[in-house]
Coordinates of all heavy atoms in Angstrom, one line a residue:
M494 N -54.0 -55.7 -67.4 CA -54.1 -54.3 -67.9 C -54.0 -53.3 -66.8 O -54.5 -52.2 -66.9 CB -55.5 -54.2 -68.6 CG -55.7 -55.0 -69.8 SD -54.5 -54.6 -71.1 CE -55.0 -55.8 -72.4
A495 N -53.3 -53.7 -65.8 CA -53.0 -52.7 -64.7 C -52.3 -51.5 -65.2 O -51.3 -51.6 -65.9 CB -52.3 -53.4 -63.5
P496 N -52.7 -50.3 -64.8 CA -52.1 -49.1 -65.3 C -50.7 -48.9 -64.7 O -49.8 -48.3 -65.3 CB -53.0 -48.0 -64.8 CG -53.7 -48.5 -63.7 CD -53.9 -50.0 -64.0
R497 N -50.4 -49.5 -63.5 CA -49.1 -49.3 -62.9 C -48.6 -50.7 -62.4 O -49.4 -51.5 -61.9 CB -49.2 -48.3 -61.7 CG -49.6 -47.0 -62.2 CD -49.7 -46.1 -60.9 NE -48.4 -45.9 -60.3 CZ -48.0 -44.7 -59.9 NH1 -48.7 -43.7 -60.1 NH2 -46.8 -44.6 -59.4
Q498 N -47.3 -50.8 -62.4 CA -46.7 -52.0 -61.8 C -46.6 -51.8 -60.3 O -46.5 -50.7 -59.8 CB -45.3 -52.3 -62.3 CG -45.4 -52.8 -63.8 CD -44.0 -53.2 -64.2 OE1 -43.2 -52.3 -64.6 NE2 -43.6 -54.4 -64.2
E499 N -46.5 -52.9 -59.5 CA -46.2 -52.9 -58.1 C -44.8 -52.1 -58.0 O -43.9 -52.5 -58.6 CB -46.1 -54.3 -57.5 CG -45.6 -54.3 -56.1 CD -46.5 -53.6 -55.2 OE1 -47.8 -53.7 -55.3 OE2 -46.0 -52.9 -54.3
V500 N -44.8 -51.2 -57.1 CA -43.5 -50.4 -56.9 C -42.4 -51.2 -56.5 O -41.3 -51.2 -57.0 CB -43.8 -49.2 -56.0 CG1 -42.5 -48.5 -55.7 CG2 -44.8 -48.3 -56.5
F501 N -42.7 -52.1 -55.5 CA -41.6 -52.9 -54.9 C -41.7 -54.3 -55.4 O -41.7 -55.2 -54.6 CB -41.6 -52.8 -53.4 CG -41.4 -51.4 -52.9 CD1 -42.4 -50.7 -52.3 CD2 -40.1 -50.8 -53.0 CE1 -42.2 -49.4 -51.9 CE2 -39.9 -49.5 -52.6 CZ -40.9 -48.8 -52.0
E502 N -41.6 -54.4 -56.7 CA -41.7 -55.7 -57.3 C -40.4 -56.5 -57.0 O -39.3 -56.0 -56.9 CB -41.8 -55.6 -58.8 CG -41.9 -56.9 -59.6 CD -42.0 -56.6 -61.1 OE1 -42.0 -55.5 -61.5 OE2 -42.1 -57.6 -61.8
T503 N -40.6 -57.8 -56.7 CA -39.5 -58.7 -56.4 C -39.2 -59.6 -57.6 O -40.1 -60.2 -58.1 CB -39.7 -59.5 -55.2 OG1 -40.0 -58.6 -54.1 CG2 -38.6 -60.4 -54.9
I504 N -37.9 -59.6 -58.0 CA -37.5 -60.4 -59.1 C -36.5 -61.5 -58.6 O -35.5 -61.2 -57.9 CB -36.7 -59.6 -60.1 CG1 -37.5 -58.3 -60.5 CG2 -36.4 -60.4 -61.4 CD1 -38.8 -58.5 -61.1
E505 N -36.9 -62.7 -58.9 CA -36.0 -63.8 -58.5 C -35.0 -64.1 -59.6 O -35.4 -64.3 -60.7 CB -36.9 -65.1 -58.2 CG -37.8 -64.9 -57.0 CD -38.7 -66.1 -56.7 OE1 -39.0 -66.8 -57.7 OE2 -39.1 -66.3 -55.6
V506 N -33.7 -64.2 -59.2 CA -32.7 -64.4 -60.1 C -31.8 -65.6 -59.7 O -31.8 -66.0 -58.5 CB -31.8 -63.2 -60.4 CG1 -32.7 -62.1 -60.9 CG2 -31.1 -62.7 -59.1
T507 N -31.0 -66.1 -60.6 CA -30.1 -67.3 -60.2 C -28.7 -66.9 -60.4 O -27.8 -67.7 -60.2 CB -30.5 -68.5 -61.1 OG1 -30.3 -68.1 -62.5 CG2 -31.9 -69.0 -60.9
R508 N -28.4 -65.6 -60.8 CA -27.0 -65.2 -60.9 C -26.8 -63.9 -60.1 O -27.8 -63.1 -59.9 CB -26.7 -64.9 -62.4 CG -26.9 -66.1 -63.2 CD -26.7 -65.8 -64.7 NE -25.3 -65.4 -65.0 CZ -24.8 -65.3 -66.2 NH1 -25.5 -65.5 -67.2 NH2 -23.5 -64.9 -66.3
R509 N -25.6 -63.7 -59.6 CA -25.3 -62.6 -58.7 C -25.2 -61.3 -59.5 O -25.4 -60.2 -58.9 CB -24.1 -62.8 -57.9 CG -24.2 -63.9 -56.9 CD -23.0 -63.9 -56.0 NE -23.2 -65.0 -54.9 CZ -23.9 -64.7 -53.8 NH1 -24.5 -63.5 -53.6 NH2 -24.1 -65.7 -52.9
D510 N -24.9 -61.4 -60.8 CA -24.9 -60.2 -61.6 C -26.1 -60.1 -62.5 O -26.4 -60.9 -63.3 CB -23.6 -60.2 -62.5 CG -22.4 -60.1 -61.6 OD1 -22.2 -59.0 -61.0 OD2 -21.6 -61.0 -61.6
V511 N -26.9 -59.0 -62.3 CA -28.1 -58.8 -63.0 C -28.1 -57.4 -63.7 O -27.4 -56.5 -63.3 CB -29.3 -59.0 -62.1 CG1 -29.4 -60.3 -61.5 CG2 -29.3 -57.9 -61.0
V512 N -28.9 -57.3 -64.7 CA -29.1 -56.1 -65.4 C -30.5 -55.6 -65.2 O -31.4 -56.4 -65.3 CB -28.8 -56.2 -66.9 CG1 -29.0 -54.9 -67.6 CG2 -27.3 -56.7 -67.1
C513 N -30.7 -54.4 -64.9 CA -32.0 -53.8 -64.7 C -32.2 -52.6 -65.6 O -31.4 -51.7 -65.6 CB -32.3 -53.5 -63.3 SG -34.1 -52.9 -63.0
D514 N -33.3 -52.6 -66.4 CA -33.6 -51.4 -67.2 C -35.0 -51.0 -66.8 O -35.7 -50.3 -67.6 CB -33.4 -51.7 -68.6 CG -34.4 -52.8 -69.2 OD1 -35.2 -53.3 -68.4 OD2 -34.3 -53.1 -70.4
G515 N -35.5 -51.5 -65.7 CA -36.9 -51.1 -65.3 C -38.0 -51.9 -66.0 O -39.2 -51.7 -65.7
G516 N -37.6 -52.8 -66.9 CA -38.6 -53.6 -67.6 C -39.3 -52.9 -68.7 O -40.2 -53.4 -69.3
G517 N -38.8 -51.7 -69.0 CA -39.4 -50.9 -70.1 C -40.7 -50.3 -69.6 O -41.1 -50.3 -68.4
G518 N -41.4 -49.6 -70.5 CA -42.7 -49.0 -70.1 C -42.5 -47.8 -69.2 O -41.4 -47.2 -69.2
P519 N -43.5 -47.5 -68.4 CA -43.4 -46.3 -67.5 C -42.3 -46.3 -66.5 O -41.9 -45.3 -66.0 CB -44.8 -46.2 -66.9 CG -45.3 -47.6 -67.0 CD -44.8 -48.2 -68.2
L520 N -41.9 -47.5 -66.1 CA -40.9 -47.6 -65.1 C -39.5 -47.8 -65.7 O -38.5 -48.1 -65.0 CB -41.2 -48.7 -64.1 CG -42.4 -48.5 -63.2 CD1 -42.6 -49.7 -62.3 CD2 -42.1 -47.3 -62.3
G521 N -39.4 -47.7 -67.0 CA -38.1 -48.0 -67.6 C -37.1 -46.9 -67.3 O -37.4 -45.8 -66.9
H522 N -35.8 -47.3 -67.3 CA -34.7 -46.4 -67.0 C -33.5 -46.9 -67.7 O -33.5 -48.0 -68.2 CB -34.5 -46.3 -65.5 CG -34.2 -47.6 -64.8 ND1 -33.0 -48.3 -65.0 CD2 -34.9 -48.4 -64.0 CE1 -33.0 -49.4 -64.3 NE2 -34.2 -49.5 -63.7
P523 N -32.4 -46.1 -67.7 CA -31.2 -46.6 -68.4 C -30.7 -47.9 -67.8 O -30.8 -48.1 -66.6 CB -30.2 -45.4 -68.1 CG -31.0 -44.2 -67.8 CD -32.3 -44.8 -67.2
R524 N -30.1 -48.7 -68.6 CA -29.7 -50.1 -68.2 C -28.5 -49.9 -67.2 O -27.5 -49.3 -67.5 CB -29.3 -50.9 -69.4 CG -28.9 -52.3 -69.0 CD -28.7 -53.2 -70.2 NE -29.9 -53.3 -71.0 CZ -30.0 -54.1 -72.0 NH1 -29.0 -54.8 -72.4 NH2 -31.2 -54.2 -72.6
I525 N -28.7 -50.6 -66.1 CA -27.6 -50.6 -65.1 C -27.3 -52.0 -64.6 O -28.2 -52.9 -64.7 CB -27.9 -49.7 -63.9 CG1 -29.1 -50.3 -63.1 CG2 -28.1 -48.3 -64.3 CD1 -29.4 -49.6 -61.8
Y526 N -26.1 -52.2 -64.1 CA -25.7 -53.5 -63.7 C -25.7 -53.5 -62.1 O -25.3 -52.6 -61.5 CB -24.3 -53.9 -64.1 CG -24.3 -54.1 -65.6 CD1 -24.1 -53.0 -66.5 CD2 -24.4 -55.4 -66.1 CE1 -24.1 -53.3 -67.9 CE2 -24.4 -55.6 -67.5 CZ -24.3 -54.6 -68.4 OH -24.3 -54.8 -69.7
L527 N -26.3 -54.6 -61.6 CA -26.4 -54.7 -60.1 C -25.7 -56.0 -59.7 O -25.7 -57.0 -60.4 CB -27.9 -54.7 -59.7 CG -28.7 -53.5 -60.1 CD1 -30.2 -53.7 -59.9 CD2 -28.2 -52.3 -59.3
H528 N -25.2 -56.0 -58.5 CA -24.5 -57.2 -58.0 C -25.1 -57.5 -56.6 O -25.3 -56.7 -55.8 CB -23.0 -56.9 -57.8 CG -22.3 -58.2 -57.4 ND1 -22.0 -59.2 -58.2 CD2 -21.8 -58.6 -56.2 CE1 -21.4 -60.2 -57.6 NE2 -21.3 -59.8 -56.3
L529 N -25.5 -58.8 -56.5 CA -26.1 -59.3 -55.3 C -25.0 -59.7 -54.3 O -24.3 -60.7 -54.6 CB -27.0 -60.4 -55.5 CG -28.4 -60.1 -56.2 CD1 -28.2 -59.7 -57.6 CD2 -29.4 -61.2 -56.0
D530 N -24.8 -59.0 -53.2 CA -23.8 -59.4 -52.2 C -24.3 -60.3 -51.2 O -25.4 -60.0 -50.6 CB -23.2 -58.1 -51.6 CG -22.5 -57.2 -52.6 OD1 -21.7 -57.8 -53.4 OD2 -22.7 -56.0 -52.6
A531 N -23.5 -61.3 -50.9 CA -24.0 -62.3 -49.8 C -24.1 -61.6 -48.5 O -25.0 -61.9 -47.7 CB -22.9 -63.4 -49.8
D532 N -23.2 -60.6 -48.2 CA -23.3 -60.0 -46.9 C -24.5 -59.0 -46.8 O -24.7 -58.3 -45.8 CB -22.0 -59.3 -46.6 CG -21.6 -58.2 -47.6 OD1 -22.4 -58.0 -48.5 OD2 -20.6 -57.6 -47.4
K533 N -25.2 -58.8 -47.9 CA -26.4 -58.0 -47.8 C -27.6 -58.8 -48.0 O -28.7 -58.3 -48.3 CB -26.3 -56.9 -49.0 CG -25.2 -55.9 -48.7 CD -25.1 -54.9 -49.8 CE -24.0 -53.9 -49.6 NZ -23.9 -52.9 -50.7
G534 N -27.5 -60.1 -47.8 CA -28.7 -61.0 -47.8 C -29.0 -61.5 -49.1 O -30.1 -61.9 -49.4
D535 N -28.0 -61.5 -50.0 CA -28.3 -62.0 -51.4 C -29.4 -61.3 -52.1 O -30.2 -61.9 -52.8 CB -28.5 -63.6 -51.3 CG -27.2 -64.3 -51.1 OD1 -26.2 -63.8 -51.5 OD2 -27.3 -65.5 -50.7
K536 N -29.5 -60.0 -51.9 CA -30.5 -59.3 -52.6 C -30.0 -57.8 -52.8 O -29.1 -57.4 -52.1 CB -31.8 -59.2 -51.8 CG -31.8 -58.5 -50.5 CD -33.1 -58.6 -49.8 CE -33.1 -57.9 -48.4 NZ -34.4 -58.0 -47.7
V537 N -30.6 -57.2 -53.8 CA -30.2 -55.8 -54.1 C -31.4 -55.1 -54.6 O -32.2 -55.7 -55.3 CB -29.0 -55.8 -55.1 CG1 -29.5 -56.3 -56.5 CG2 -28.5 -54.4 -55.3
T538 N -31.5 -53.8 -54.3 CA -32.6 -53.0 -54.7 C -32.1 -52.1 -55.8 O -31.1 -51.4 -55.6 CB -33.2 -52.2 -53.5 OG1 -33.6 -53.1 -52.5 CG2 -34.4 -51.4 -54.0
C539 N -32.8 -52.0 -56.9 CA -32.5 -51.1 -58.0 C -32.7 -49.7 -57.5 O -33.8 -49.4 -57.1 CB -33.3 -51.4 -59.2 SG -33.0 -50.3 -60.5
P540 N -31.7 -48.8 -57.6 CA -31.9 -47.4 -57.2 C -32.8 -46.6 -58.1 O -33.3 -45.6 -57.7 CB -30.5 -46.9 -57.2 CG -29.8 -47.7 -58.2 CD -30.4 -49.1 -58.1
Y541 N -33.1 -47.1 -59.3 CA -33.9 -46.4 -60.2 C -35.4 -46.7 -60.0 O -36.2 -45.8 -59.8 CB -33.6 -46.7 -61.6 CG -32.3 -46.0 -62.1 CD1 -31.1 -46.6 -62.0 CD2 -32.4 -44.7 -62.7 CE1 -30.0 -46.0 -62.5 CE2 -31.3 -44.1 -63.2 CZ -30.1 -44.7 -63.1 OH -29.0 -44.1 -63.5
C542 N -35.7 -48.0 -60.0 CA -37.1 -48.4 -60.0 C -37.5 -49.2 -58.7 O -38.7 -49.6 -58.6 CB -37.4 -49.3 -61.2 SG -36.5 -50.8 -61.3
S543 N -36.6 -49.3 -57.8 CA -36.9 -49.9 -56.5 C -37.3 -51.4 -56.6 O -37.9 -51.9 -55.6 CB -38.0 -49.1 -55.8 OG -37.5 -47.8 -55.5
R544 N -37.1 -52.0 -57.7 CA -37.4 -53.4 -57.8 C -36.3 -54.2 -57.0 O -35.1 -53.7 -57.0 CB -37.4 -53.9 -59.2 CG -38.6 -53.4 -60.0 CD -38.9 -54.3 -61.2 NE -37.8 -54.2 -62.2 CZ -37.8 -54.8 -63.4 NH1 -38.8 -55.5 -63.7 NH2 -36.8 -54.7 -64.2
V545 N -36.7 -55.2 -56.3 CA -35.7 -56.0 -55.5 C -35.4 -57.3 -56.2 O -36.3 -58.1 -56.5 CB -36.3 -56.3 -54.1 CG1 -35.4 -57.1 -53.2 CG2 -36.7 -55.0 -53.4
F546 N -34.1 -57.5 -56.4 CA -33.6 -58.7 -57.0 C -33.1 -59.6 -55.8 O -32.3 -59.3 -55.0 CB -32.5 -58.4 -57.9 CG -32.9 -57.7 -59.2 CD1 -33.0 -56.3 -59.1 CD2 -33.2 -58.4 -60.3 CE1 -33.4 -55.6 -60.3 CE2 -33.7 -57.7 -61.4 CZ -33.8 -56.3 -61.4
V547 N -33.7 -60.8 -55.8 CA -33.4 -61.8 -54.8 C -32.8 -63.1 -55.4 O -33.3 -63.6 -56.4 CB -34.6 -62.2 -54.0 CG1 -34.3 -63.2 -52.9 CG2 -35.2 -61.0 -53.4
L548 N -31.6 -63.5 -54.8 CA -31.0 -64.7 -55.4 C -31.6 -65.9 -54.9 O -31.9 -66.1 -53.7 CB -29.5 -64.6 -54.9 CG -28.7 -65.8 -55.5 CD1 -28.5 -65.7 -57.0 CD2 -27.3 -65.8 -54.8
L549 N -31.9 -66.8 -55.8 CA -32.5 -68.1 -55.5 C -31.3 -69.0 -55.2 O -30.8 -69.6 -56.1 CB -33.3 -68.7 -56.6 CG -34.6 -67.9 -56.9 CD1 -35.4 -68.5 -58.0 CD2 -35.5 -67.9 -55.6
S550 N -30.8 -69.0 -54.0 CA -29.5 -69.7 -53.6 C -29.6 -71.2 -54.0 O -28.6 -71.7 -54.4 CB -29.2 -69.5 -52.1 OG -30.3 -70.0 -51.4
G551 N -30.7 -71.8 -53.8 CA -30.8 -73.2 -54.1 C -30.6 -73.5 -55.6 O -30.3 -74.6 -55.9
K552 N -30.8 -72.5 -56.4 CA -30.7 -72.8 -57.9 C -29.5 -72.0 -58.5 O -29.3 -72.0 -59.7 CB -31.9 -72.3 -58.6 CG -33.2 -73.1 -58.2 CD -34.4 -72.6 -58.9 CE -35.6 -73.3 -58.4 NZ -36.9 -72.7 -59.1
A553 N -28.7 -71.4 -57.6 CA -27.6 -70.6 -58.1 C -26.5 -71.5 -58.8 O -26.3 -72.6 -58.4 CB -26.9 -69.9 -56.9
R554 N -26.0 -70.9 -59.8 CA -24.9 -71.6 -60.5 C -23.7 -70.6 -60.6 O -23.9 -69.4 -60.8 CB -25.4 -71.9 -61.9 CG -26.5 -73.0 -62.0 CD -25.9 -74.4 -61.7 NE -27.0 -75.4 -61.9 CZ -27.9 -75.7 -61.0 NH1 -27.9 -75.1 -59.8 NH2 -28.8 -76.6 -61.2
V555 N -22.5 -71.2 -60.6 CA -21.4 -70.4 -60.8 C -21.2 -70.1 -62.3 O -21.1 -71.1 -63.0 CB -20.1 -71.1 -60.2 CG1 -18.9 -70.2 -60.5 CG2 -20.3 -71.3 -58.7
A556 N -21.2 -68.9 -62.6 CA -21.1 -68.6 -64.1 C -19.8 -69.0 -64.6 O -18.8 -68.8 -63.9 CB -21.4 -67.1 -64.3
Ligands
ZN995 ZN1 -34.4 -50.9 -62.2

């Protein structure tokens, strides 16, 4: 029942292309597509909600 989410929440993903909409609620924002670049450390920060998406390389699958 926390009133606010952690600002810099980290989301673990298994694909390089992810969609972020802020998860709805107070941090929700228009849906955008993000790409995790290997040369950026396999992670990307959402410019809207600052959530960090991190690729789980060990579980990555080629789509
Ligand atoms: Zn976001």
Side-chain angles (χ1 to χ4, degrees):
M494 293 300 181
R497 299 178 65 133
Q498 287 184 281
E499 173 62 43
V500 176
F501 298 107
E502 181 177 2
T503 299
I504 311 296
E505 297 178 331
V506 297
T507 56
R508 300 176 65 170
R509 290 188 179 278
D510 291 295
V511 299
V512 177
C513 185
D514 64 1
L520 289 180
H522 59 69
R524 181 173 297 187
I525 62 170
Y526 292 84
L527 301 169
H528 184 76
L529 286 75
D530 293 315
D532 61 358
K533 292 180 181 176
D535 283 336
K536 64 181 179 181
V537 65
T538 302
C539 176
Y541 283 92
C542 63
S543 296
R544 290 200 297 183
V545 180
F546 292 84
V547 179
L548 182 69
L549 293 177
S550 58
K552 298 178 181 176
R554 293 286 187 276
V555 177

